[in-house]
Amino acid sequence: MLNLEDMTIYFYTQPVDMRKSIDTLCMLVSETLRMNPADGSLFLFRGKSGNKLKALYYETNCFTLWYRRLEKGRFIFARNAEGYVEMSHEHFKWLLASDKYSRTDTMLPNQVENYC
């Protein structure tokens, strides 16, 4: 079972092609970041458009990949950042749960009707 408080969270700062699968994200972690993707850390990736995030982590005998897409608005990321940053658990929770790191605060909730 995932216990976020026991994980180190790394945010890869460069935009990533969101079509990448578990295998290609693992290669990116091992070859570019020089880290072990199966060490129990959570690796967070962002899409170029700013409205998508992927999170990769390993538990006993399996990788899990989360995908988050904003229907409207964009996440806010540092410009010209290189490499990766270690993200605090609080920052990660804010990123996923509030408008502090996204530009959705001026929009009304909408009903999603089209899924493609």
Side-chain angles (χ1 to χ4, degrees), residues 11 16 27 29 33 35-36 42 71-72 83 85 97 103 112:
F11 175 63
V16 170
M27 286 176 31
V29 169
L33 301 180
M35 295 182 178
N36 179 357
L42 186 141
E71 291 302 312
K72 292 184 179 179
V85 294
R103 294 300 307 160
V112 176

Side-chain angles (χ1 to χ4, degrees), residues 46-52 70-77 79 95 98-105 107:
R46 68 182 185 108
K48 184 176 182 180
S49 64
N51 68 334
K52 297 174 184 130
L70 295 175
E71 291 302 312
K72 292 184 179 179
R74 298 174 56 170
F75 293 104
I76 298 171
F77 304 106
R79 293 178 187 249
L95 180 67
S98 80
D99 64 359
K100 182 170 179 64
Y101 296 99
S102 63
R103 294 300 307 160
T104 59
D105 54 332
M107 295 180 284

Side-chain angles (χ1 to χ4, degrees), residues 8-48:
T8 303
I9 303 168
Y10 295 105
F11 175 63
Y12 183 70
T13 58
Q14 296 298 306
V16 170
D17 182 344
M18 288 287 107
R19 295 174 293 181
K20 288 190 182 294
S21 66
I22 289 173
D23 293 336
T24 52
L25 290 173
C26 284
M27 286 176 31
L28 190 149
V29 169
S30 63
E31 294 175 5
T32 304
L33 301 180
R34 303 281 186 222
M35 295 182 178
N36 179 357
D39 73 359
S41 298
L42 186 141
F43 297 92
L44 188 63
F45 306 92
R46 68 182 185 108
K48 184 176 182 180

Side-chain angles (χ1 to χ4, degrees), residues 45-84:
F45 306 92
R46 68 182 185 108
K48 184 176 182 180
S49 64
N51 68 334
K52 297 174 184 130
L53 294 173
K54 278 192 174 182
L56 174 73
Y57 74 95
Y58 182 81
E59 290 183 291
T60 306
N61 296 326
C62 69
F63 279 99
T64 299
L65 185 65
W66 294 335
Y67 184 78
R68 184 173 183 99
R69 180 183 74 187
L70 295 175
E71 291 302 312
K72 292 184 179 179
R74 298 174 56 170
F75 293 104
I76 298 171
F77 304 106
R79 293 178 187 249
N80 302 322
E82 293 186 18
Y84 67 92

